[in-house]
Amino acid sequence: MRQGAIYLLTDRPDRSAALETLIKAIGQCKVVGSSEEAVGYTKPCAIVSDLTLTRREAVSRLRAFIPHGKAAEIPLICLLRSTSDRDLRLARDLGATVCFPAYTAPHIVVNALLDQIGPDESDPKILPVVQGVTRATEVLTGLFDGVRDGGTIALPQLDASLDPILSAVREGGLNRWLETVWTHDDATYQHCLLVAGVAAQFVLHLGFRTEDREHFVRSALLHDVGKARIPREILNKPGRLDADETTIMRQHPVIGYEILRDSGCDATTLGAVRHHHEMLDGSGYPDGLVGAEISDTVRLLTICDIYAALTERRSYKPPMPPRDAMAILESMQGKLEMRLVQRFGDAMLAS
Ligand SMILES: [Fe+2]
Ligand SMILES: [Fe+2]
């Protein structure tokens, strides 16, 4: 069992909230705001500094929390407002063991923290989850960045993240996966990771063969890749899109299909990406497919996609409880295959 708490020192508590959530998932976390002193303080097992180190008082506050003369023995992760040589030197002088830019995703910071302090015996299951989310995010980031610049997709790189996702959900459970992914800042990545996690739980529950599981999770991870070429102001707009914006947004399945076709992707994944917004009654898009024209993979993926979209966490809206999301899926009779919706509900309950 780890001795001492992980201290999170922050002068921007709003931005640190997601990091706090994730640190709490791996151990005891004490958050110290910008005006609090080291009163009642016990020796930390690690310190994460989210302070503006160019401010002298921030440096003094951080020093007050580092056990005297023992700096090198305590993992100290510094999130830096700038990564200039001066700031990096300052952080190293304070005993920083790892430095990240301030905007680094929380799970990457926590992954580094786990590397330094080891998983807590009280929750060894969080480790594969943090590793799985980190791996999948790296892959998604490379994928979206490459596609945004007009490139194609390196499918073998993507495939290397499928087993870590399935292992994370199998060993850590879907709830830990969702809690970790919900801390993600970027709405599109958060959504793709949610769909991938939910999809993994679904196929594990359905007892798919390894190869079929990976194939399905791959479709889930890729399904919205066309959004890489949708303007960010539309993607990240809080609230409803207007008619013109909706028209642009609705191009993403075809854009994704074309990117993947040019990348040499297989037909099942191509179909899943192009058709994940189709509905059995023909009311979906882009091709208005009806009934038997919609493959089983697409039927499964559409359910995962809608559920993930409903339960997403955004700064501007409260998350929808899973039970309410399931009620919406169940109300979509005629559009979704109800037999699969029921199996999906069972899979979520079993998580
Ligand atoms: Fe989509
Ligand atoms: Fe989606």
Side-chain angles (χ1 to χ4, degrees):
M1 192 77 175
R2 257 184 240 136
Q3 294 296 314
I6 301 161
Y7 278 74
L8 171 60
L9 275 56
T10 177
D11 54 16
R12 48 169 204 170
D14 296 357
R15 292 280 302 159
S16 300
L19 183 56
E20 179 189 341
T21 303
L22 214 47
I23 293 175
K24 283 180 173 161
I26 66 162
Q28 193 193 354
C29 173
K30 291 193 178 175
V31 182
V32 183
S34 53
S35 58
E36 294 165 59
E37 301 300 328
V39 177
Y41 148 94
T42 50
K43 186 185 168 189
C45 84
I47 299 173
V48 178
S49 157
D50 195 5
L51 298 168
T52 310
L53 293 182
T54 43
R55 290 171 49 223
R56 200 173 297 167
E57 60 272 26
V59 173
S60 311
R61 188 168 318 113
L62 179 53
R63 280 215 170 95
F65 279 84
I66 299 171
H68 197 61
K70 297 266 185 188
E73 292 177 19
I74 304 277
L76 168 61
I77 295 185
C78 287
L79 302 180
L80 301 177
R81 302 295 186 269
S82 101
T83 46
S84 65
D85 285 351
R86 180 171 165 260
D87 281 21
L88 283 167
R89 208 176 316 120
L90 191 58
R92 293 285 178 202
D93 288 347
L94 283 160
T97 44
V98 184
C99 294
F100 287 112
Y103 52 78
T104 302
H107 58 86
I108 292 174
V109 177
V110 170
N111 197 36
L113 187 58
L114 276 169
D115 270 352
Q116 302 217 340
I117 61 177
D120 192 345
E121 290 156 28
S122 62
D123 189 6
K125 293 182 173 179
I126 194 69
L127 188 60
V129 175
V130 172
Q131 287 172 336
V133 172
T134 303
R135 183 86 194 92
T137 305
E138 282 166 7
V139 166
L140 270 181
T141 307
L143 193 88
F144 273 74
D145 286 352
V147 165
R148 220 170 261 133
D149 296 340
T152 53
I153 292 172
L155 292 168
Q157 250 170 325
L158 176 85
D159 289 349
S161 72
L162 303 178
D163 183 52
I165 294 173
L166 280 153
S167 299
V169 173
R170 187 177 49 230
E171 290 164 32
L174 179 62
N175 288 335
R176 283 187 189 81
W177 177 273
L178 298 180
E179 288 294 340
T180 306
V181 169
W182 275 324
T183 64
H184 215 297
D185 259 357
D186 185 291
T188 306
Y189 293 169
Q190 186 194 107
H191 173 70
C192 293
L193 293 168
L194 287 178
V195 179
V198 166
Q201 171 66 19
F202 199 8
V203 289
L204 285 165
H205 182 77
L206 291 174
F208 277 26
R209 291 179 310 155
T210 306
E211 195 186 319
D212 295 338
R213 282 180 200 160
E214 293 198 353
H215 215 155
F216 187 62
V217 172
R218 177 202 235 208
S219 293
L221 207 54
L222 279 171
H223 79 284
D224 272 339
V225 70
K227 287 185 180 173
R229 293 192 189 153
I230 301 291
R232 282 182 201 265
E233 57 273 22
I234 295 180
L235 276 184
N236 298 328
K237 181 181 175 181
R240 279 188 176 279
L241 301 180
D242 66 27
D244 290 343
E245 290 163 342
T246 302
T247 303
I248 294 169
M249 184 65 128
R250 286 185 165 211
Q251 293 169 359
H252 79 268
V254 174
I255 296 172
Y257 168 84
E258 286 168 355
I259 292 166
L260 284 166
R261 188 194 53 201
D262 296 344
S263 307
C265 198
D266 64 281
T268 309
T269 311
L270 278 175
V273 170
R274 184 176 180 110
H275 295 137
H276 68 274
H277 287 288
E278 300 287 359
M279 295 288 144
L280 293 173
D281 62 2
S283 63
Y285 63 94
D287 298 317
L289 299 186
V290 181
E293 293 174 319
I294 301 176
S295 71
D296 287 344
T297 300
V298 172
R299 292 173 192 220
L300 294 167
L301 180 58
T302 303
I303 293 169
C304 298
D305 186 30
I306 297 171
Y307 181 85
L310 291 170
T311 54
E312 269 162 23
R313 296 193 180 173
R314 294 280 182 277
S315 54
Y316 57 85
K317 74 170 179 85
M320 181 180 284
R323 190 183 302 175
D324 295 357
M326 277 313 303
I328 290 182
L329 286 176
E330 284 158 6
S331 73
M332 294 177 74
Q333 187 118 26
K335 294 180 182 294
L336 303 175
E337 188 173 332
M338 284 302 120
R339 189 181 56 90
L340 294 179
V341 169
Q342 193 175 355
R343 299 293 303 272
F344 180 79
D346 295 343
M348 293 302 105
L349 277 179
S351 64

